Amino acid sequence: MPELTTCNIADNVNTCVLVSLDSGNCSYLENSEELQQLATSDGLIILAVIKGKCSRPNPSTYAGNGKVNEIASVLKQTGASLVIFNNNLSPAQQRNLEQFLQCRVIDRTSLILDIFAQRAKSHEGKLQVELAQLEHLATRLVRGWTHLERQKGGIGLRGPGETQLETDRRLLGKRVKLLKEKLAKFQSQRNLQRRTRQRAHVMSVSIIGYTNAGKSTLFNCLTRASAYTANKFFATLDATTRKLFIQGHGPLVISDTVGFIHELPHTLIAAFRATLEETVQANILLHVVDAGSPNREEQIEEVNKVLREIGADAIPQILVLNKIDLLNISSGTSGYQRNEYGRISQVRLSAKNGEGLEFIRMALAETIEQGTSQWCRISPEIKDAINRCTTVSH
């Protein structure tokens, strides 16, 4: 029997029913828990959670007829105004479900996009979110305006006219082109700043990791910044960059980036590629992990998967096991671990209370020293050639 949990809450525009169907994915339980956290982070009130198995998705409604009837019954019982599927729905499946259930139906990707829309604060971040939403919407224009038929032509304009669907696609295409042009300008500015840092031989560090792993808290502790932090998914969205002074080595640039999650929508990866370039161009990555998460290894692999997609998998990483203050006394101690090459590859700390932060600075100092020694061993002629090639390529 599928798990069904309900609560008695009055009808509200922010109420929803969650549907999580197991299609044989090994991370099904984790994805189901994440869906509930995503809905809560989006400010929604969960009235019911429907679970079940779906080894062969229905082409028209994804869920089988019996499960769809069960969802309709739960909607009638709870009065929820929204149904959220943990599975990605095709445009036709979403349309058919909305017609049968007589309420709005969205999938996991749409929910994540809505959260991003709420979190974006900077102008560039808002443009990136809008671009991702429009590119996702472009696949959803499935005869959504058939009741309008064709536009009526006026005098001198009579003819077959243009369907509303074609009009929507044309206008959407124009907006997408405009957004990409604006984002290209931001990317140009970022490239200029990056070239300036490269000419000054200033190292750059990017803090990456799964969402809600404590990246922004660590960033604030290291730089004394005031980036927004909260115990929810995607609390911060816009990339933030600050200078960090390392004793005996001078300043470096450190950036706090957006968090990753299972099945991160490809539209988001494409739209945020300009921001993620800070990760691609970094000299070293601080991969922050929630040390107390039971799915720690899966989350690490999910982050590495996205890094491979954006071409940043070859950049040296320091694994930062955060939130050790929430572990038991025996395992919740700060410290570091070296790899077979003698380099610090793992650090245990608590960004919340500041325990173990000195090991991060130690690891970064060693990395700077190694990078400086390697640069010094290069002949002046090769250095000049590298600088010229870097300038030309940009």
Side-chain angles (χ1 to χ4, degrees):
M1 291 294 292
E3 179 183 342
L4 176 62
T5 306
T6 60
C7 50
N8 297 322
I9 300 178
D11 189 15
N12 190 290
V13 292
N14 292 325
T15 57
C16 68
V17 170
L18 305 183
V19 181
S20 183
L21 303 179
D22 184 4
S23 58
N25 193 333
C26 59
S27 57
Y28 165 71
L29 293 178
E30 181 182 358
N31 287 349
S32 298
E33 294 175 0
E34 285 184 352
L35 180 67
Q36 298 184 47
Q37 296 181 57
L38 285 168
T40 303
S41 298
D42 201 29
L44 297 171
I45 301 172
I46 303 172
L47 297 186
V49 178
I50 302 176
K51 295 183 179 181
K53 291 187 178 295
C54 183
S55 57
R56 183 177 298 177
N58 189 314
S60 60
T61 57
Y62 193 90
N65 294 334
K67 186 62 65 176
V68 174
N69 288 327
E70 181 183 348
I71 297 171
S73 176
V74 172
L75 283 173
K76 185 177 180 180
Q77 177 185 347
T78 61
S81 59
L82 177 66
V83 174
I84 304 177
F85 272 72
N86 196 30
N87 316 87
N88 288 325
L89 302 175
S90 70
Q93 289 170 342
Q94 181 178 350
R95 179 197 61 203
N96 293 336
L97 285 168
E98 288 181 342
Q99 290 177 351
F100 184 85
L101 299 174
Q102 292 298 300
C103 76
R104 188 169 173 235
V105 178
I106 64 173
D107 57 12
R108 181 186 180 94
T109 297
S110 298
L111 178 61
I112 294 177
L113 286 171
D114 190 66
I115 295 175
F116 271 53
Q118 292 185 39
R119 301 287 191 268
K121 300 300 180 184
S122 69
H123 182 55
E124 182 182 12
K126 292 177 180 178
L127 292 178
Q128 288 171 326
V129 171
E130 184 182 357
L131 176 60
Q133 288 178 321
L134 290 179
E135 290 183 334
H136 181 65
L137 179 63
T139 65
R140 309 279 143 175
L141 297 178
V142 184
R143 296 183 63 83
W145 300 90
T146 51
H147 62 286
L148 294 179
E149 294 301 334
R150 289 182 177 271
Q151 295 179 355
K152 295 181 180 179
I155 297 176
L157 297 175
R158 301 192 186 278
E162 182 179 34
T163 65
Q164 185 66 43
L165 180 59
E166 292 168 345
T167 303
D168 290 342
R169 283 176 175 165
R170 177 169 50 80
L171 295 176
L172 187 146
K174 286 185 177 180
R175 182 61 181 170
V176 167
K177 181 181 178 182
L178 178 62
L179 291 175
K180 288 183 176 180
E181 290 175 351
K182 290 183 177 180
L183 288 173
K185 294 181 180 179
F186 281 103
Q187 185 175 0
S188 174
Q189 295 172 2
R190 192 179 292 106
N191 288 339
L192 179 61
Q193 296 170 352
R194 189 179 299 121
R195 288 198 300 269
T196 302
R197 295 199 300 264
Q198 290 174 345
R199 283 195 293 267
H201 304 301
V202 176
M203 290 196 65
S204 61
V205 178
S206 285
I207 300 178
I208 62 168
Y210 209 75
T211 182
N212 206 28
K215 298 182 300 299
S216 296
T217 303
L218 176 62
F219 178 79
N220 288 340
C221 288
L222 289 173
T223 64
R224 297 182 181 179
S226 55
Y228 175 70
T229 60
N231 186 25
K232 53 187 177 183
F233 283 7
F234 304 116
T236 55
L237 178 60
D238 299 305
T240 308
T241 302
R242 295 287 187 275
K243 278 187 178 181
L244 175 63
F245 185 82
I246 300 298
Q247 186 69 32
H249 295 281
L252 56 78
V253 175
I254 185 167
S255 300
D256 181 21
T257 60
V258 63
F260 302 145
I261 195 172
H262 275 289
E263 299 177 10
L264 186 67
H266 287 279
T267 50
L268 279 179
I269 296 177
F272 281 78
R273 186 169 294 275
T275 300
L276 292 174
E277 279 184 2
E278 290 297 331
T279 301
V280 178
Q281 299 295 334
N283 298 106
I284 191 167
L285 303 177
L286 296 180
H287 185 165
V288 182
V289 180
D290 183 352
S293 173
N295 305 305
R296 185 174 72 188
E297 296 303 322
E298 289 81 0
Q299 293 176 358
I300 292 175
E301 176 55 31
E302 193 66 30
V303 172
N304 289 331
K305 176 183 174 183
V306 177
L307 292 178
R308 286 192 293 270
E309 288 189 36
I310 64 177
D313 53 318
I315 301 175
Q317 288 188 28
I318 297 176
L319 195 66
V320 181
L321 300 181
N322 190 24
K323 302 185 181 181
I324 61 170
D325 53 300
L326 302 180
L327 303 177
N328 56 54
I329 298 177
S330 60
S331 60
T333 55
S334 62
Y336 63 90
Q337 177 179 324
R338 294 184 182 274
N339 57 20
E340 62 272 21
Y341 304 105
R343 300 173 183 172
I344 296 179
S345 60
Q346 185 182 114
V347 174
R348 301 183 303 276
L349 55 79
S350 170
K352 184 178 181 180
N353 58 30
E355 181 184 356
L357 286 180
E358 66 274 14
F359 301 126
I360 287 286
R361 294 180 177 274
M362 181 191 304
L364 292 176
E366 288 185 6
T367 303
I368 294 174
E369 185 174 347
Q370 292 168 359
T372 302
S373 61
Q374 291 173 358
W375 179 261
C376 291
R377 287 196 296 267
I378 300 176
S379 66
E381 293 78 9
I382 296 180
K383 287 182 184 179
D384 292 338
I386 292 175
N387 287 331
R388 286 197 301 271
C389 291
T390 303
T391 304
V392 171
S393 63
H394 286 82

